[in-house]
Amino acid sequence: MEQTAVRMKAYAVNFNEIRVYLSKNYYNGISSKFYLKNLETDELVLLSGDALESQNSDFQEYAFHVTFNMGKVYKIVDAYGLTCFLDFSKLSMCKEFDELYFYDGNDLGSTYTKEKTIFKVWAPLSTGVILKVVKDGKDYLYPMERGLKGVYSVEVKGDLECAHYFYLVKHAGNYDISMDPYAYASSSNGRTNIVVDLNKVPLKKYPLQPLEHKTDAIIYETSVRDFSMSSTSGMKNKGKFLAFTEPHTSTDSGNPTGLDYLSCLGITHVQLMPINDFATVDEKNPFELYNWGYDPAAYNVTEGSYVSDSDNGYKRIQEAQQMIEALHSRGLRVVLDVVYNHMHDVNMNALEKTVPHYFFRRNNDGSLSNGSWCGNDLNTTAKMCRKYILDMCKRWQLLYGIDGYRFDLMGIIDIETMKLVDAQGKALDSSFMVYGEGWNMMTALPENKRTTIQNNRQVPHIGFFNDFFRDTLRGTNQMETKGYFSGDTYKTNDAMKAICNLDMFENISQSINYVECHDNATCYDKLLISNYDEDEETKKKRLRLLLAAVILSQGIPFIHSGQEFFRTKGGQHNTYNAGDQVNALDWNRKDCEIDTIQFVQFLIHLRKNNPCFRYDNYDMIRENVKTENIDHRMIKYSLHQEDGEHQDYIVYFNASSDSIDVDVEEGFSVLCHSEKGNILNGKLHIDGICFVVLAR
């Protein structure tokens, strides 16, 4: 529509109020009367109201109080016979909308049987919905009937398995194509949805060791695409879900990669970067463009570029299931990175098309909130938006077998929604984990309702990425800044605090301890800048110290894939679209760092077999753990336990370049010394940039 030619527009702004806007280029924006016309009955009602002082220099605004029926088509008629459709879309912003139209049913989407398929879509603001089905090359149109709470439904007889479909949703006189927000599968690039028989995609369950305490978890983050894309990966299904199902893959030197490598590393959880359908990779040409997937197009189906055939609805489901089943078969739990904070394009996605203005948060002036810096924020306090998030979380858990969620930009999501997500997950699986980014984003939601790290005490069972831990031990995201382990010993006291995480959170299990993740530069690349004057081996010593601190600190350790063999992205920061050459995991690099990987395996073994490194409450930490500042440059980390391989441990972290001699209590022996030192006459020499573990 040519917007400059619009002379009149009308909106229902409340359930008994209409606003009409008349162009000042048309009779100076003046009309002596207006009518409301029901196009079904031709009834014409004279409107009573007033012209308002207009804030818009192009249109004169009028306000009228009148009753109307939702789902009916109306036009506004002025004194000169000019007409326009009445638009209901702004009603979704009324406080009464949720009370009137919240639908608590669990039957939205398509429900398939061989004899018939029932389709239901929640579209209370629309004035009509038509289902279009494509089967065996033929198109079929089915008008849908409006029911309670604005749910449109239709029952289609016959076997529609693998049929393609979408909705034609009518708003203000125009039909617009919309996908089904509750569909289970889609064709490539979200052109259509596909009907599937859920009985053909049962979830295979593997008995997993219960997660007694969240601090028992050791999380390893990777991307489906990055994991296998390199020619060094030894995997055939490059960039696909199925790469995770391949056993016995190896590097050119014969060292294990892929699933076998994850199995032997010792981690407990694999965190997958987004696997829901995202926008900026062409699924028919998946290797032409690259993206991490934080640009969601749909939350309800898997990403087609990760599937062997993006037009096959069953493979969309089955291959993701097979990936997760393969990881479960090795005793590894799977955490899914979810992006319930924004959508890639407000205007193109099914949520906006089915219920305009409802699913996206608005500022007081009606503009879109943009705390995500991606153009929009999901309106998580709206009841049906909250229900949608819960419904999709349950689907990923029940249909795909997900064991936890990592929430991207969790600070944009309200606290009540996050509590419900966590409670729902744990009701289905007591070992379920929920954690996320608690950054305080400037979204149009009161600060006390945001799920931020500052509000962690309101959500004591949800974890947060600990940026104090990251910035203190590694340095901030500015490449030049140093942390304790890169040599800034002025941060020794803060580093001691980070390692024990005392009083930062309501519960110690809320602290996700990390120094590297998909965002920002890798630690290796950062040290190339911050420690430019040190040689390669010295930098690697510092990187090993960082790994040791992540794995042995109190809280939950988080490792970025390849961090354990000094992954590099060529010094680049936010590589979300930088391509495979930058992002693909170079498995041959692992061959060069076998000693470091064995060191990480030792650290993980130490943590797993000794509860003192993973206490699950602050009382136990206060009673059994202490840190000391040695010579204002080295940390002494002492731990006691009643059960485990030893009763007492002392860990020395020396991030300085200075050698330090310490007295050692009787009974302690050297379990690990990165510089091969020994106790002589009750004394231990600790070299600069050195890690030592003593046990008694």
PDB file of all heavy atoms in Angstrom, residues 103 105-112 117-122 131 144 151-154 165 167 180-184 193 195 300 392 395:
ATOM      1  N   TYR A 103      -5.926 -18.470  26.317  1.00  0.00           N
ATOM      2  CA  TYR A 103      -6.392 -19.824  25.978  1.00  0.00           C
ATOM      3  C   TYR A 103      -5.455 -20.836  26.620  1.00  0.00           C
ATOM      4  O   TYR A 103      -4.258 -20.854  26.320  1.00  0.00           O
ATOM      5  CB  TYR A 103      -6.409 -20.010  24.462  1.00  0.00           C
ATOM      6  CG  TYR A 103      -6.847 -21.381  24.008  1.00  0.00           C
ATOM      7  CD1 TYR A 103      -8.163 -21.804  24.169  1.00  0.00           C
ATOM      8  CD2 TYR A 103      -5.949 -22.263  23.412  1.00  0.00           C
ATOM      9  CE1 TYR A 103      -8.577 -23.058  23.747  1.00  0.00           C
ATOM     10  CE2 TYR A 103      -6.346 -23.517  22.976  1.00  0.00           C
ATOM     11  CZ  TYR A 103      -7.654 -23.908  23.148  1.00  0.00           C
ATOM     12  OH  TYR A 103      -8.062 -25.161  22.736  1.00  0.00           O
ATOM     13  N   GLY A 105      -5.669 -24.171  26.466  1.00  0.00           N
ATOM     14  CA  GLY A 105      -5.682 -25.497  25.839  1.00  0.00           C
ATOM     15  C   GLY A 105      -4.305 -25.922  25.372  1.00  0.00           C
ATOM     16  O   GLY A 105      -3.412 -25.101  25.146  1.00  0.00           O
ATOM     17  N   ASN A 106      -4.130 -27.221  25.207  1.00  0.00           N
ATOM     18  CA  ASN A 106      -2.856 -27.779  24.755  1.00  0.00           C
ATOM     19  C   ASN A 106      -2.984 -28.423  23.376  1.00  0.00           C
ATOM     20  O   ASN A 106      -2.294 -29.399  23.060  1.00  0.00           O
ATOM     21  CB  ASN A 106      -2.347 -28.814  25.763  1.00  0.00           C
ATOM     22  CG  ASN A 106      -2.003 -28.188  27.094  1.00  0.00           C
ATOM     23  OD1 ASN A 106      -1.348 -27.152  27.141  1.00  0.00           O
ATOM     24  ND2 ASN A 106      -2.466 -28.788  28.179  1.00  0.00           N
ATOM     25  N   ASP A 107      -3.884 -27.871  22.549  1.00  0.00           N
ATOM     26  CA  ASP A 107      -4.173 -28.495  21.261  1.00  0.00           C
ATOM     27  C   ASP A 107      -3.949 -27.565  20.080  1.00  0.00           C
ATOM     28  O   ASP A 107      -4.467 -27.806  18.984  1.00  0.00           O
ATOM     29  CB  ASP A 107      -5.615 -29.014  21.247  1.00  0.00           C
ATOM     30  CG  ASP A 107      -6.633 -27.927  21.591  1.00  0.00           C
ATOM     31  OD1 ASP A 107      -6.226 -26.799  21.909  1.00  0.00           O
ATOM     32  OD2 ASP A 107      -7.843 -28.228  21.544  1.00  0.00           O
ATOM     33  N   LEU A 108      -3.182 -26.486  20.271  1.00  0.00           N
ATOM     34  CA  LEU A 108      -2.891 -25.608  19.145  1.00  0.00           C
ATOM     35  C   LEU A 108      -1.932 -26.299  18.176  1.00  0.00           C
ATOM     36  O   LEU A 108      -1.119 -27.132  18.569  1.00  0.00           O
ATOM     37  CB  LEU A 108      -2.296 -24.292  19.638  1.00  0.00           C
ATOM     38  CG  LEU A 108      -3.233 -23.416  20.482  1.00  0.00           C
ATOM     39  CD1 LEU A 108      -2.487 -22.190  21.005  1.00  0.00           C
ATOM     40  CD2 LEU A 108      -4.459 -22.983  19.689  1.00  0.00           C
ATOM     41  N   GLY A 109      -2.032 -25.924  16.907  1.00  0.00           N
ATOM     42  CA  GLY A 109      -1.230 -26.569  15.878  1.00  0.00           C
ATOM     43  C   GLY A 109      -2.025 -27.638  15.166  1.00  0.00           C
ATOM     44  O   GLY A 109      -3.260 -27.578  15.085  1.00  0.00           O
ATOM     45  N   SER A 110      -1.336 -28.633  14.626  1.00  0.00           N
ATOM     46  CA  SER A 110      -2.006 -29.729  13.920  1.00  0.00           C
ATOM     47  C   SER A 110      -1.984 -30.987  14.783  1.00  0.00           C
ATOM     48  O   SER A 110      -0.959 -31.330  15.362  1.00  0.00           O
ATOM     49  CB  SER A 110      -1.322 -30.001  12.580  1.00  0.00           C
ATOM     50  OG  SER A 110       0.012 -30.429  12.777  1.00  0.00           O
ATOM     51  N   THR A 111      -3.140 -31.651  14.865  1.00  0.00           N
ATOM     52  CA  THR A 111      -3.247 -32.927  15.584  1.00  0.00           C
ATOM     53  C   THR A 111      -3.622 -33.987  14.562  1.00  0.00           C
ATOM     54  O   THR A 111      -4.753 -34.016  14.056  1.00  0.00           O
ATOM     55  CB  THR A 111      -4.306 -32.849  16.694  1.00  0.00           C
ATOM     56  OG1 THR A 111      -3.974 -31.767  17.578  1.00  0.00           O
ATOM     57  CG2 THR A 111      -4.350 -34.146  17.489  1.00  0.00           C
ATOM     58  N   TYR A 112      -2.672 -34.862  14.258  1.00  0.00           N
ATOM     59  CA  TYR A 112      -2.822 -35.806  13.145  1.00  0.00           C
ATOM     60  C   TYR A 112      -3.314 -37.171  13.593  1.00  0.00           C
ATOM     61  O   TYR A 112      -2.866 -37.708  14.610  1.00  0.00           O
ATOM     62  CB  TYR A 112      -1.482 -35.982  12.428  1.00  0.00           C
ATOM     63  CG  TYR A 112      -1.453 -37.145  11.465  1.00  0.00           C
ATOM     64  CD1 TYR A 112      -1.891 -36.982  10.159  1.00  0.00           C
ATOM     65  CD2 TYR A 112      -1.006 -38.410  11.868  1.00  0.00           C
ATOM     66  CE1 TYR A 112      -1.889 -38.045   9.261  1.00  0.00           C
ATOM     67  CE2 TYR A 112      -0.992 -39.478  10.986  1.00  0.00           C
ATOM     68  CZ  TYR A 112      -1.442 -39.299   9.685  1.00  0.00           C
ATOM     69  OH  TYR A 112      -1.444 -40.348   8.809  1.00  0.00           O
ATOM     70  N   THR A 117      -7.133 -34.738  10.374  1.00  0.00           N
ATOM     71  CA  THR A 117      -6.199 -33.839  11.060  1.00  0.00           C
ATOM     72  C   THR A 117      -6.965 -32.600  11.494  1.00  0.00           C
ATOM     73  O   THR A 117      -7.717 -32.019  10.700  1.00  0.00           O
ATOM     74  CB  THR A 117      -5.028 -33.435  10.154  1.00  0.00           C
ATOM     75  OG1 THR A 117      -4.343 -34.618   9.720  1.00  0.00           O
ATOM     76  CG2 THR A 117      -4.046 -32.541  10.903  1.00  0.00           C
ATOM     77  N   ILE A 118      -6.785 -32.225  12.757  1.00  0.00           N
ATOM     78  CA  ILE A 118      -7.426 -31.031  13.291  1.00  0.00           C
ATOM     79  C   ILE A 118      -6.376 -29.926  13.389  1.00  0.00           C
ATOM     80  O   ILE A 118      -5.285 -30.134  13.931  1.00  0.00           O
ATOM     81  CB  ILE A 118      -8.049 -31.307  14.669  1.00  0.00           C
ATOM     82  CG1 ILE A 118      -9.142 -32.385  14.554  1.00  0.00           C
ATOM     83  CG2 ILE A 118      -8.634 -30.030  15.266  1.00  0.00           C
ATOM     84  CD1 ILE A 118      -9.675 -32.856  15.890  1.00  0.00           C
ATOM     85  N   PHE A 119      -6.720 -28.763  12.871  1.00  0.00           N
ATOM     86  CA  PHE A 119      -5.834 -27.603  12.906  1.00  0.00           C
ATOM     87  C   PHE A 119      -6.462 -26.542  13.801  1.00  0.00           C
ATOM     88  O   PHE A 119      -7.657 -26.245  13.679  1.00  0.00           O
ATOM     89  CB  PHE A 119      -5.630 -27.024  11.506  1.00  0.00           C
ATOM     90  CG  PHE A 119      -4.978 -27.961  10.535  1.00  0.00           C
ATOM     91  CD1 PHE A 119      -5.731 -28.882   9.816  1.00  0.00           C
ATOM     92  CD2 PHE A 119      -3.609 -27.924  10.332  1.00  0.00           C
ATOM     93  CE1 PHE A 119      -5.139 -29.748   8.909  1.00  0.00           C
ATOM     94  CE2 PHE A 119      -2.998 -28.786   9.429  1.00  0.00           C
ATOM     95  CZ  PHE A 119      -3.762 -29.700   8.715  1.00  0.00           C
ATOM     96  N   LYS A 120      -5.638 -25.956  14.676  1.00  0.00           N
ATOM     97  CA  LYS A 120      -6.107 -24.873  15.533  1.00  0.00           C
ATOM     98  C   LYS A 120      -5.038 -23.792  15.616  1.00  0.00           C
ATOM     99  O   LYS A 120      -3.857 -24.086  15.782  1.00  0.00           O
ATOM    100  CB  LYS A 120      -6.433 -25.388  16.945  1.00  0.00           C
ATOM    101  CG  LYS A 120      -7.673 -26.262  17.025  1.00  0.00           C
ATOM    102  CD  LYS A 120      -8.063 -26.545  18.468  1.00  0.00           C
ATOM    103  CE  LYS A 120      -9.356 -27.344  18.539  1.00  0.00           C
ATOM    104  NZ  LYS A 120      -9.788 -27.564  19.942  1.00  0.00           N
ATOM    105  N   VAL A 121      -5.492 -22.534  15.531  1.00  0.00           N
ATOM    106  CA  VAL A 121      -4.571 -21.410  15.640  1.00  0.00           C
ATOM    107  C   VAL A 121      -5.238 -20.316  16.475  1.00  0.00           C
ATOM    108  O   VAL A 121      -6.425 -20.031  16.320  1.00  0.00           O
ATOM    109  CB  VAL A 121      -4.162 -20.871  14.250  1.00  0.00           C
ATOM    110  CG1 VAL A 121      -5.362 -20.399  13.447  1.00  0.00           C
ATOM    111  CG2 VAL A 121      -3.120 -19.759  14.374  1.00  0.00           C
ATOM    112  N   TRP A 122      -4.459 -19.742  17.378  1.00  0.00           N
ATOM    113  CA  TRP A 122      -4.954 -18.648  18.232  1.00  0.00           C
ATOM    114  C   TRP A 122      -4.745 -17.346  17.488  1.00  0.00           C
ATOM    115  O   TRP A 122      -3.609 -16.908  17.285  1.00  0.00           O
ATOM    116  CB  TRP A 122      -4.206 -18.651  19.558  1.00  0.00           C
ATOM    117  CG  TRP A 122      -4.698 -17.641  20.554  1.00  0.00           C
ATOM    118  CD1 TRP A 122      -5.909 -17.634  21.180  1.00  0.00           C
ATOM    119  CD2 TRP A 122      -3.980 -16.504  21.042  1.00  0.00           C
ATOM    120  NE1 TRP A 122      -5.995 -16.555  22.036  1.00  0.00           N
ATOM    121  CE2 TRP A 122      -4.828 -15.839  21.976  1.00  0.00           C
ATOM    122  CE3 TRP A 122      -2.721 -15.964  20.805  1.00  0.00           C
ATOM    123  CZ2 TRP A 122      -4.449 -14.688  22.651  1.00  0.00           C
ATOM    124  CZ3 TRP A 122      -2.333 -14.815  21.470  1.00  0.00           C
ATOM    125  CH2 TRP A 122      -3.192 -14.182  22.387  1.00  0.00           C
ATOM    126  N   LEU A 131      -7.224 -22.092   6.131  1.00  0.00           N
ATOM    127  CA  LEU A 131      -6.132 -23.068   6.079  1.00  0.00           C
ATOM    128  C   LEU A 131      -5.886 -23.441   4.626  1.00  0.00           C
ATOM    129  O   LEU A 131      -6.817 -23.789   3.895  1.00  0.00           O
ATOM    130  CB  LEU A 131      -6.512 -24.314   6.874  1.00  0.00           C
ATOM    131  CG  LEU A 131      -5.612 -25.547   6.682  1.00  0.00           C
ATOM    132  CD1 LEU A 131      -4.245 -25.337   7.317  1.00  0.00           C
ATOM    133  CD2 LEU A 131      -6.288 -26.802   7.247  1.00  0.00           C
ATOM    134  N   MET A 144     -11.676 -21.599   8.339  1.00  0.00           N
ATOM    135  CA  MET A 144     -11.638 -22.064   9.719  1.00  0.00           C
ATOM    136  C   MET A 144     -12.708 -21.344  10.538  1.00  0.00           C
ATOM    137  O   MET A 144     -13.061 -20.192  10.264  1.00  0.00           O
ATOM    138  CB  MET A 144     -10.245 -21.831  10.321  1.00  0.00           C
ATOM    139  CG  MET A 144      -9.145 -22.528   9.544  1.00  0.00           C
ATOM    140  SD  MET A 144      -7.474 -22.292  10.211  1.00  0.00           S
ATOM    141  CE  MET A 144      -7.498 -23.402  11.613  1.00  0.00           C
ATOM    142  N   VAL A 151      -9.800 -18.756  19.095  1.00  0.00           N
ATOM    143  CA  VAL A 151      -9.122 -19.891  18.468  1.00  0.00           C
ATOM    144  C   VAL A 151      -9.907 -20.310  17.227  1.00  0.00           C
ATOM    145  O   VAL A 151     -11.102 -20.607  17.297  1.00  0.00           O
ATOM    146  CB  VAL A 151      -9.007 -21.077  19.443  1.00  0.00           C
ATOM    147  CG1 VAL A 151      -8.434 -22.301  18.729  1.00  0.00           C
ATOM    148  CG2 VAL A 151      -8.128 -20.697  20.636  1.00  0.00           C
ATOM    149  N   TYR A 152      -9.235 -20.332  16.097  1.00  0.00           N
ATOM    150  CA  TYR A 152      -9.833 -20.791  14.843  1.00  0.00           C
ATOM    151  C   TYR A 152      -9.455 -22.254  14.628  1.00  0.00           C
ATOM    152  O   TYR A 152      -8.297 -22.645  14.849  1.00  0.00           O
ATOM    153  CB  TYR A 152      -9.340 -19.957  13.669  1.00  0.00           C
ATOM    154  CG  TYR A 152      -9.936 -18.572  13.603  1.00  0.00           C
ATOM    155  CD1 TYR A 152      -9.437 -17.539  14.396  1.00  0.00           C
ATOM    156  CD2 TYR A 152     -11.001 -18.293  12.755  1.00  0.00           C
ATOM    157  CE1 TYR A 152      -9.980 -16.256  14.331  1.00  0.00           C
ATOM    158  CE2 TYR A 152     -11.555 -17.018  12.684  1.00  0.00           C
ATOM    159  CZ  TYR A 152     -11.045 -16.009  13.475  1.00  0.00           C
ATOM    160  OH  TYR A 152     -11.589 -14.747  13.415  1.00  0.00           O
ATOM    161  N   SER A 153     -10.420 -23.054  14.164  1.00  0.00           N
ATOM    162  CA  SER A 153     -10.155 -24.480  13.991  1.00  0.00           C
ATOM    163  C   SER A 153     -10.875 -25.026  12.769  1.00  0.00           C
ATOM    164  O   SER A 153     -11.871 -24.456  12.304  1.00  0.00           O
ATOM    165  CB  SER A 153     -10.585 -25.261  15.237  1.00  0.00           C
ATOM    166  OG  SER A 153     -11.985 -25.168  15.428  1.00  0.00           O
ATOM    167  N   VAL A 154     -10.360 -26.123  12.260  1.00  0.00           N
ATOM    168  CA  VAL A 154     -11.017 -26.850  11.175  1.00  0.00           C
ATOM    169  C   VAL A 154     -10.555 -28.303  11.238  1.00  0.00           C
ATOM    170  O   VAL A 154      -9.408 -28.584  11.604  1.00  0.00           O
ATOM    171  CB  VAL A 154     -10.695 -26.235   9.795  1.00  0.00           C
ATOM    172  CG1 VAL A 154      -9.220 -26.388   9.443  1.00  0.00           C
ATOM    173  CG2 VAL A 154     -11.557 -26.854   8.710  1.00  0.00           C
ATOM    174  N   TYR A 165       1.274 -27.104   4.720  1.00  0.00           N
ATOM    175  CA  TYR A 165       0.164 -26.198   5.015  1.00  0.00           C
ATOM    176  C   TYR A 165       0.666 -24.868   5.564  1.00  0.00           C
ATOM    177  O   TYR A 165       1.805 -24.748   6.018  1.00  0.00           O
ATOM    178  CB  TYR A 165      -0.814 -26.845   6.004  1.00  0.00           C
ATOM    179  CG  TYR A 165      -0.333 -26.919   7.450  1.00  0.00           C
ATOM    180  CD1 TYR A 165      -0.718 -25.954   8.390  1.00  0.00           C
ATOM    181  CD2 TYR A 165       0.501 -27.953   7.894  1.00  0.00           C
ATOM    182  CE1 TYR A 165      -0.298 -26.022   9.712  1.00  0.00           C
ATOM    183  CE2 TYR A 165       0.926 -28.023   9.203  1.00  0.00           C
ATOM    184  CZ  TYR A 165       0.527 -27.054  10.113  1.00  0.00           C
ATOM    185  OH  TYR A 165       0.950 -27.115  11.424  1.00  0.00           O
ATOM    186  N   TYR A 167      -1.389 -20.826   7.057  1.00  0.00           N
ATOM    187  CA  TYR A 167      -2.639 -20.112   7.294  1.00  0.00           C
ATOM    188  C   TYR A 167      -2.676 -18.817   6.491  1.00  0.00           C
ATOM    189  O   TYR A 167      -1.646 -18.176   6.264  1.00  0.00           O
ATOM    190  CB  TYR A 167      -2.797 -19.768   8.780  1.00  0.00           C
ATOM    191  CG  TYR A 167      -2.825 -20.965   9.697  1.00  0.00           C
ATOM    192  CD1 TYR A 167      -1.892 -21.091  10.732  1.00  0.00           C
ATOM    193  CD2 TYR A 167      -3.780 -21.966   9.552  1.00  0.00           C
ATOM    194  CE1 TYR A 167      -1.917 -22.178  11.588  1.00  0.00           C
ATOM    195  CE2 TYR A 167      -3.815 -23.061  10.401  1.00  0.00           C
ATOM    196  CZ  TYR A 167      -2.873 -23.164  11.416  1.00  0.00           C
ATOM    197  OH  TYR A 167      -2.904 -24.240  12.260  1.00  0.00           O
ATOM    198  N   ASP A 180       2.465 -21.758  11.042  1.00  0.00           N
ATOM    199  CA  ASP A 180       1.829 -22.189  12.281  1.00  0.00           C
ATOM    200  C   ASP A 180       2.855 -22.116  13.416  1.00  0.00           C
ATOM    201  O   ASP A 180       3.854 -22.835  13.382  1.00  0.00           O
ATOM    202  CB  ASP A 180       1.325 -23.626  12.106  1.00  0.00           C
ATOM    203  CG  ASP A 180       0.598 -24.162  13.327  1.00  0.00           C
ATOM    204  OD1 ASP A 180       0.564 -23.472  14.364  1.00  0.00           O
ATOM    205  OD2 ASP A 180       0.063 -25.288  13.244  1.00  0.00           O
ATOM    206  N   PRO A 181       2.629 -21.261  14.428  1.00  0.00           N
ATOM    207  CA  PRO A 181       3.612 -21.165  15.526  1.00  0.00           C
ATOM    208  C   PRO A 181       3.772 -22.455  16.307  1.00  0.00           C
ATOM    209  O   PRO A 181       4.741 -22.603  17.048  1.00  0.00           O
ATOM    210  CB  PRO A 181       3.030 -20.065  16.426  1.00  0.00           C
ATOM    211  CG  PRO A 181       2.007 -19.359  15.605  1.00  0.00           C
ATOM    212  CD  PRO A 181       1.489 -20.346  14.619  1.00  0.00           C
ATOM    213  N   TYR A 182       2.831 -23.386  16.171  1.00  0.00           N
ATOM    214  CA  TYR A 182       2.884 -24.642  16.909  1.00  0.00           C
ATOM    215  C   TYR A 182       3.197 -25.848  16.022  1.00  0.00           C
ATOM    216  O   TYR A 182       3.103 -26.991  16.475  1.00  0.00           O
ATOM    217  CB  TYR A 182       1.563 -24.875  17.644  1.00  0.00           C
ATOM    218  CG  TYR A 182       1.473 -24.170  18.979  1.00  0.00           C
ATOM    219  CD1 TYR A 182       1.114 -22.830  19.054  1.00  0.00           C
ATOM    220  CD2 TYR A 182       1.765 -24.836  20.171  1.00  0.00           C
ATOM    221  CE1 TYR A 182       1.040 -22.177  20.276  1.00  0.00           C
ATOM    222  CE2 TYR A 182       1.690 -24.189  21.391  1.00  0.00           C
ATOM    223  CZ  TYR A 182       1.326 -22.855  21.441  1.00  0.00           C
ATOM    224  OH  TYR A 182       1.260 -22.212  22.663  1.00  0.00           O
ATOM    225  N   ALA A 183       3.570 -25.624  14.757  1.00  0.00           N
ATOM    226  CA  ALA A 183       3.886 -26.736  13.862  1.00  0.00           C
ATOM    227  C   ALA A 183       5.100 -27.508  14.373  1.00  0.00           C
ATOM    228  O   ALA A 183       5.950 -26.972  15.078  1.00  0.00           O
ATOM    229  CB  ALA A 183       4.152 -26.212  12.458  1.00  0.00           C
ATOM    230  N   TYR A 184       5.175 -28.780  13.984  1.00  0.00           N
ATOM    231  CA  TYR A 184       6.296 -29.620  14.394  1.00  0.00           C
ATOM    232  C   TYR A 184       7.411 -29.667  13.343  1.00  0.00           C
ATOM    233  O   TYR A 184       8.536 -30.057  13.648  1.00  0.00           O
ATOM    234  CB  TYR A 184       5.820 -31.045  14.671  1.00  0.00           C
ATOM    235  CG  TYR A 184       5.060 -31.170  15.965  1.00  0.00           C
ATOM    236  CD1 TYR A 184       3.677 -31.049  15.997  1.00  0.00           C
ATOM    237  CD2 TYR A 184       5.722 -31.386  17.168  1.00  0.00           C
ATOM    238  CE1 TYR A 184       2.977 -31.154  17.190  1.00  0.00           C
ATOM    239  CE2 TYR A 184       5.029 -31.488  18.368  1.00  0.00           C
ATOM    240  CZ  TYR A 184       3.658 -31.370  18.369  1.00  0.00           C
ATOM    241  OH  TYR A 184       2.965 -31.463  19.554  1.00  0.00           O
ATOM    242  N   ASN A 193       4.552 -25.286   6.523  1.00  0.00           N
ATOM    243  CA  ASN A 193       4.663 -26.266   7.596  1.00  0.00           C
ATOM    244  C   ASN A 193       4.295 -27.641   7.060  1.00  0.00           C
ATOM    245  O   ASN A 193       3.705 -27.761   5.981  1.00  0.00           O
ATOM    246  CB  ASN A 193       3.750 -25.890   8.763  1.00  0.00           C
ATOM    247  CG  ASN A 193       4.197 -24.601   9.441  1.00  0.00           C
ATOM    248  OD1 ASN A 193       3.409 -23.679   9.610  1.00  0.00           O
ATOM    249  ND2 ASN A 193       5.463 -24.529   9.828  1.00  0.00           N
ATOM    250  N   VAL A 195       2.696 -31.585   8.059  1.00  0.00           N
ATOM    251  CA  VAL A 195       1.966 -32.436   9.003  1.00  0.00           C
ATOM    252  C   VAL A 195       2.768 -33.709   9.239  1.00  0.00           C
ATOM    253  O   VAL A 195       3.197 -34.372   8.281  1.00  0.00           O
ATOM    254  CB  VAL A 195       0.571 -32.794   8.455  1.00  0.00           C
ATOM    255  CG1 VAL A 195      -0.157 -33.738   9.412  1.00  0.00           C
ATOM    256  CG2 VAL A 195      -0.255 -31.531   8.227  1.00  0.00           C
ATOM    257  N   ASN A 300       9.681 -23.371  17.061  1.00  0.00           N
ATOM    258  CA  ASN A 300       8.967 -24.642  17.159  1.00  0.00           C
ATOM    259  C   ASN A 300       9.537 -25.746  16.288  1.00  0.00           C
ATOM    260  O   ASN A 300       9.135 -26.899  16.423  1.00  0.00           O
ATOM    261  CB  ASN A 300       7.488 -24.431  16.804  1.00  0.00           C
ATOM    262  CG  ASN A 300       7.310 -23.669  15.508  1.00  0.00           C
ATOM    263  OD1 ASN A 300       7.900 -22.618  15.309  1.00  0.00           O
ATOM    264  ND2 ASN A 300       6.485 -24.182  14.618  1.00  0.00           N
ATOM    265  N   MET A 392       6.828 -24.461  24.234  1.00  0.00           N
ATOM    266  CA  MET A 392       7.968 -24.844  23.403  1.00  0.00           C
ATOM    267  C   MET A 392       9.071 -25.491  24.246  1.00  0.00           C
ATOM    268  O   MET A 392       9.715 -26.449  23.821  1.00  0.00           O
ATOM    269  CB  MET A 392       8.510 -23.626  22.650  1.00  0.00           C
ATOM    270  CG  MET A 392       7.589 -23.107  21.557  1.00  0.00           C
ATOM    271  SD  MET A 392       7.112 -24.357  20.329  1.00  0.00           S
ATOM    272  CE  MET A 392       5.433 -24.738  20.842  1.00  0.00           C
ATOM    273  N   ARG A 395       8.074 -28.936  24.769  1.00  0.00           N
ATOM    274  CA  ARG A 395       8.232 -29.731  23.544  1.00  0.00           C
ATOM    275  C   ARG A 395       9.684 -30.177  23.364  1.00  0.00           C
ATOM    276  O   ARG A 395       9.959 -31.341  23.085  1.00  0.00           O
ATOM    277  CB  ARG A 395       7.790 -28.928  22.318  1.00  0.00           C
ATOM    278  CG  ARG A 395       8.054 -29.666  21.009  1.00  0.00           C
ATOM    279  CD  ARG A 395       7.620 -28.878  19.798  1.00  0.00           C
ATOM    280  NE  ARG A 395       6.184 -28.673  19.777  1.00  0.00           N
ATOM    281  CZ  ARG A 395       5.539 -28.094  18.759  1.00  0.00           C
ATOM    282  NH1 ARG A 395       6.209 -27.674  17.698  1.00  0.00           N
ATOM    283  NH2 ARG A 395       4.232 -27.921  18.812  1.00  0.00           N
TER     284      ARG A 395
END
